[in-house]
Amino acid sequence: MGCSGLNWRATENRRAQSSEPLHALALCIVHYLVECFKSDKLSVVLQQLDRHASSRVNRRMRIEFIHGMRGVAAVMVMLFHFNLALSPFLAANYPFISDILSYGYLGVPIFFVISGFVISLTVNLNEMGSKYVGKFILRRSIRLDIVYWLSIAIAIFLLVVESKVTNETLEMYSTSEVLIHMFYLQNILDLENQISMVYWTLCLEVQFYLFFILSLLTCKALFKDKADIVFCFAIGLPLAVYSILVDLRVLKELYTGLFFSQWHYFFLGYLCERFFRQGGAFRMAFFAWAICLLGFMLFLHAKPYTIAAMLTAAFIVLMRQYQFKARFLTNSWMLYLGSISYPLYVLHADLGWKVMSFSKIYVPVESLLNMLFVLMVGVVVSVIASHLMHIWVEKPSIKLSKKVR
């Protein structure tokens, strides 16, 4: 089963050992924001943002740099896993490169913030109702499930092939385990025998989608035009405080496998989108939550996940407000990687890893040249397979989902 037993969070914990510089940075930023409040600079900034945002924001617009950020996040996660596949040679001989690649797991909080932003951008509160929610869930299901299910089938097929090639008896997945995976329940049911190491994030994403849309539906039914404000301040913010305290292990999680410990990452993306769509109270909520996060970093723990999420949110706000031409995110290569980011994410950990493992049999990783060859084999095979899945499966799925009206 390859790398499915590896624990990403163990890597994150090791990266958090030396956080004094991060605490110093957090202290400086908190001090600056407090001074802004005292001198009323923040209100001036908000007024300037209000002056420009309404003319520039289209809820349905396709934001190219977000697409590029997806590509960056997918490549980060892929290289993180491939770095593990090349250990211990890479870590022993080129520790600097290995250390850089080992931070690739921070692509996950980037994905979470982007998901919060995009889902908030997609949802139309004016049309909110039971029929709208049903269609929303069906569209998301069509877009996600077909690619996901195919990746499960590929992972199982690769396991069978590995068993035949190595003449080893490998533990296969039961029908119930496959069904549990198909409905994104492996986290909630605390399934030990998981098919792929990346699927846990998809489980959290699906939980977020359902919680977000059903919470908005409830708020809309009870509070009508105030639904968004009520959701943000009565549900989103209190839950975000609980979420980060659980994430930082100050509070104990009530039930493992749920997405609530990661809610504050999705919520940060939601606030980024509301920052521009509605302004006012949402902008104040964004800055207030940013200060809270910095305070948690300063006085509790400067967690790399949180830092990556905050930098992602800050980047999105700056890009949306000032329309920076981030060509490195909007060139054809990055947009292409963004377009195949979902297939690349779900395929690389099994297909790419196993291809690299097979390559190492014939090209032992004992030199830099051999290491680069094995790495390129994993990357090229993963990208080609993702391209084919994008063309033959994902694009038709997206087209089909758009027919649900």
Side-chain angles (χ1 to χ4, degrees):
M1 285 169 280
C3 56
S4 60
L6 294 170
N7 191 339
W8 291 18
R9 293 178 180 86
T11 300
E12 181 185 355
N13 291 336
R14 289 196 299 271
R15 291 283 167 249
Q17 296 294 322
S18 300
S19 56
E20 289 82 2
L22 300 176
H23 280 82
L25 175 62
L27 180 61
C28 291
I29 297 174
V30 170
H31 176 74
Y32 172 75
L33 290 173
V34 169
E35 290 301 317
C36 283
F37 273 115
K38 288 181 179 179
S39 61
D40 205 30
K41 289 180 182 177
L42 189 58
S43 62
V44 175
V45 173
L46 293 176
Q47 289 174 7
Q48 293 173 346
L49 292 172
D50 276 326
R51 199 175 302 141
H52 301 288
S54 60
S55 62
R56 284 211 283 254
V57 178
N58 183 340
R59 186 177 59 83
R60 298 286 185 182
M61 71 183 290
R62 183 179 182 83
I63 306 173
E64 288 191 333
F65 78 90
I66 290 285
H67 213 45
M69 289 176 71
R70 277 201 185 106
V72 169
V75 170
M76 286 174 63
V77 174
M78 177 180 69
L79 293 179
F80 167 76
H81 289 132
F82 289 175
N83 175 50
L84 297 175
L86 295 171
S87 295
F89 174 84
L90 187 59
N93 295 278
Y94 302 94
F96 177 71
I97 297 176
S98 181
D99 285 344
I100 292 175
L101 296 181
S102 69
Y103 281 97
Y105 75 102
L106 295 177
V108 173
I110 294 175
F111 271 127
F112 288 164
V113 173
I114 290 174
S115 292
F117 181 93
V118 171
I119 292 302
S120 179
L121 187 71
T122 302
V123 170
N124 187 346
L125 268 175
N126 294 327
E127 299 178 7
M128 185 62 65
S130 57
K131 289 185 179 179
Y132 177 85
V133 169
K135 292 176 182 178
F136 173 87
I137 293 173
L138 179 58
R139 284 194 296 266
R140 297 309 302 175
S141 176
I142 294 171
R143 290 174 72 107
L144 294 178
D145 293 352
I146 300 175
V147 171
Y148 174 58
W149 291 341
L150 180 57
S151 76
I152 291 175
I154 291 172
I156 295 172
F157 172 76
L158 290 172
L159 185 63
V160 174
V161 171
E162 181 183 358
S163 178
K164 298 293 185 182
V165 171
T166 61
N167 291 320
E168 295 181 7
T169 303
L170 301 177
E171 184 182 359
M172 296 297 172
Y173 305 105
S174 66
T175 302
S176 61
E177 287 173 337
V178 174
L179 289 173
I180 287 170
H181 276 80
M182 289 180 66
F183 291 96
Y184 307 93
L185 296 173
Q186 59 267 40
N187 286 7
I188 294 176
L189 298 179
D190 196 22
L191 195 67
E192 291 186 9
N193 195 21
Q194 297 209 8
I195 295 175
S196 175
M197 66 188 305
V198 300
Y199 290 165
W200 67 274
T201 62
L202 299 182
C203 298
L204 301 185
E205 293 260 2
V206 170
Q207 291 177 37
F208 161 67
Y209 298 151
L210 293 174
F211 176 83
F212 182 74
I213 193 69
L214 293 176
S215 295
L216 282 178
L217 174 64
T218 303
C219 290
K220 180 70 173 180
L222 296 176
F223 302 101
K224 307 301 181 185
D225 295 338
K226 301 294 183 180
D228 218 6
I229 290 287
V230 172
F231 171 80
C232 179
F233 289 94
I235 298 176
L237 275 172
L239 187 57
V241 174
Y242 166 77
S243 171
I244 195 168
L245 290 176
V246 170
D247 198 25
L248 297 178
R249 300 183 182 177
V250 175
L251 297 177
K252 185 177 181 180
E253 194 168 13
L254 297 177
Y255 185 87
T256 58
L258 297 178
F259 82 108
F260 293 116
S261 64
Q262 311 296 311
W263 162 256
H264 59 101
Y265 301 116
F266 296 109
F267 183 66
L268 191 55
Y270 160 81
L271 285 179
C272 283
E273 196 277 328
R274 295 294 158 169
F275 186 100
F276 288 95
R277 191 200 295 204
Q278 292 182 296
F282 290 96
R283 292 210 174 100
M284 292 302 300
F286 176 85
F287 282 108
W289 182 237
I291 292 174
C292 287
L293 288 176
L294 289 167
F296 287 128
M297 287 170 55
L298 177 62
F299 296 108
L300 294 177
H301 174 41
K303 187 176 181 180
Y305 251 48
T306 307
I307 296 170
M310 290 184 66
L311 291 176
T312 302
F315 184 78
I316 291 174
V317 168
L318 290 174
M319 286 292 296
R320 286 295 299 270
Q321 175 56 34
Y322 297 107
Q323 301 292 292
F324 292 148
K325 300 298 181 182
R327 294 179 182 177
F328 70 98
L329 286 176
T330 56
N331 63 53
S332 58
W333 284 101
M334 293 311 302
L335 293 178
Y336 170 73
L337 288 174
S339 68
I340 67 168
S341 59
Y342 181 37
L344 184 63
Y345 185 80
V346 296
L347 286 179
H348 78 270
D350 287 286
L351 178 60
W353 181 286
K354 283 185 169 59
V355 168
M356 291 175 69
S357 298
F358 183 76
S359 299
K360 287 190 291 185
I361 297 174
Y362 300 97
V363 186
V365 181
E366 298 173 350
S367 67
L368 177 61
L369 186 61
N370 285 7
M371 183 205 72
L372 290 175
F373 174 80
V374 171
L375 175 62
M376 289 307 299
V377 168
V379 170
V380 170
V381 169
S382 297
V383 170
I384 291 175
S386 301
H387 174 82
L388 295 177
M389 182 177 279
H390 172 67
I391 297 298
W392 293 342
V393 181
E394 186 181 26
K395 287 183 73 174
S397 298
I398 294 173
K399 185 176 180 180
L400 178 62
S401 71
K402 291 179 179 179
K403 293 182 179 181
V404 179
R405 299 184 181 278

